[in-house]
Amino acid sequence: MLLSTIFLALPLVAQFGPASPPDPAIERGRQAFISACAFCHGTEATGRSAPDLVRSSVVLHDEHGDQIGPVILNGRPERGMPAFNYTPEQIADLAAFLHSRAAATANRFSYTISGLLTGDAAAGKGFFFGAGKCSTCHSTTGDLQHIAAAYEPVDLQRRMIYPVPTYMDSMMGKKTKPAPPVKVTVVLPSGQTESGVLEHRDEFKVVLKDASGQHRVLNAEGAKVTVDDPLAAHEQLMAHITDRQMHDTLAFLETLK
Ligand code: HEC
Ligand code: HEC
């Protein structure tokens, strides 16, 4: 119940208004966020091992980086948030990106809650197997076979939008399917290449688990780091589907008991 209360409270976050025209600061901030912050906070800033920043009170109360900046510069090392030596411009870009995410999410959740279970399952089925491309990665007789039995509608909708356990799930002791592992390849300045499952990344180092199960700590300086997150495409897709497609797809998924 706590979760739905939180979702219902979100439309109150109205001060951001609708998304504004594309802003280069947001795009720079997005790139910086993906390379330095996403491994812990999720590519869409909705939380992974570290909290959701889209609904963070620090972000909500921030103006032009005044609240976010000190957290980035000082970190909270004892709680797992590293410090970053960033310029005011870099911080402003990151703040612009996080505000854009908060605005987009507030809008999205405000309509999805009211639209929950109002969709057309047949149209959703068409979308799932057609334009939505869902069936290129999912199967209604495989991984999603009993998906509607596994989650309450509101949770199924949330999993569809952001299929990663959130900070809130762990706070509430919910058992949620973990996110698939993120793969990383690091080409060191010497030309030596290392790859494996990403365990940690910050501006100084990359920690990965290699094929033999060994933890490797690699210096990120001068290295070329390529991250392959199996969820990236899913998240991109969800960020761009319309309200109607969302409602219809959910109605279709609800038939998969
Ligand atoms: C190694 C993981 C990690 C990385 C990388 C990381 N963070 Fe964090 N971050 C955390 C953790 C853990 C917390 C929660 C700390 C706490 O409990 O107070 C946090 C907290 C925050 C908060 C405060 C949220 C709140 O509501 O209190 C902000 C803002 C933040 N991070 C922004 C960033 C930005 C921007 C980046 C990239 C420049 C970044 N973080 C990179 C782990 C990380
Ligand atoms: C490029 C591949 C890809 C596409 C396309 C894709 N997804 Fe996903 N989706 C994933 C991955 C990876 C996961 C996370 C793994 C998991 O939880 O099974 C996921 C998770 C999910 C989950 C949560 C499953 C669970 O057990 O909690 C739902 C629901 C879902 N996707 C629905 C959709 C729908 C609906 C579409 C089409 C609009 C779609 N996905 C398109 C890759 C994709």
Side-chain angles (χ1 to χ4, degrees):
M1 272 306 94
L2 183 55
L3 258 180
S4 48
T5 315
I6 289 163
F7 283 178
L8 287 168
L10 270 160
L12 299 176
V13 187
Q15 71 259 42
F16 294 111
S20 34
D23 172 350
I26 296 178
E27 203 36 53
R28 287 194 304 270
R30 177 194 307 281
Q31 277 158 21
F33 191 86
I34 289 189
S35 66
C37 327
F39 172 59
C40 295
H41 290 286
T43 48
E44 299 287 320
T46 45
R48 210 157 207 190
S49 60
D52 181 336
L53 295 179
V54 166
R55 297 174 194 78
S56 147
S57 65
V58 170
V59 174
L60 291 178
H61 293 118
D62 177 83
E63 282 181 38
H64 310 294
D66 66 340
Q67 307 284 318
I68 297 171
V71 180
I72 295 176
L73 292 173
N74 304 322
R76 292 181 186 159
E78 72 291 351
R79 308 183 59 176
M81 167 73 198
F84 291 85
N85 186 12
Y86 279 0
T87 64
E89 291 73 27
Q90 287 172 308
I91 288 171
D93 290 348
L94 283 163
F97 167 67
L98 290 173
H99 289 306
S100 77
R101 290 291 309 128
T105 305
N107 291 342
R108 169 126 292 185
F109 278 100
S110 62
Y111 74 65
T112 49
I113 252 303
S114 57
L116 198 61
L117 302 184
T118 60
D120 171 348
K125 184 175 185 180
F127 183 71
F128 188 94
F129 289 102
K133 303 200 183 97
C134 316
S135 60
T136 59
C137 298
H138 297 291
S139 158
T140 54
T141 52
D143 67 328
L144 298 183
Q145 191 171 18
H146 300 299
I147 192 78
Y151 301 105
E152 297 286 318
V154 69
D155 287 336
L156 176 54
Q157 171 167 279
R158 185 173 61 80
R159 292 289 297 177
M160 184 173 123
I161 302 173
Y162 305 121
V164 293
T166 62
Y167 198 57
M168 199 51 83
D169 289 337
S170 62
M171 300 276 287
M172 293 171 67
K174 280 199 182 185
K175 277 220 176 98
T176 318
K177 188 174 177 186
V182 175
K183 286 180 223 110
V184 65
T185 303
V186 183
V187 183
L188 297 168
S190 66
Q192 185 190 341
T193 302
E194 302 283 350
S195 55
V197 172
L198 183 60
E199 299 199 311
H200 172 89
R201 179 174 184 195
D202 59 39
E203 59 178 327
F204 306 110
K205 62 181 181 297
V206 173
V207 184
L208 60 79
K209 189 152 92 179
D210 70 16
S212 66
Q214 293 261 22
H215 301 276
R216 310 285 309 275
V217 181
L218 305 167
N219 190 341
E221 210 176 320
K224 188 171 172 290
V225 181
T226 313
V227 174
D228 173 14
D229 183 346
L231 274 181
H234 176 98
E235 290 188 17
Q236 277 291 319
L237 196 74
M238 291 301 158
H240 296 108
I241 73 177
T242 67
D243 306 15
R244 176 118 301 273
Q245 288 163 342
M246 171 94 71
H247 300 157
D248 292 349
T249 309
L250 187 71
F252 171 57
L253 293 182
E254 277 299 324
T255 67
L256 306 174
K257 292 282 185 197

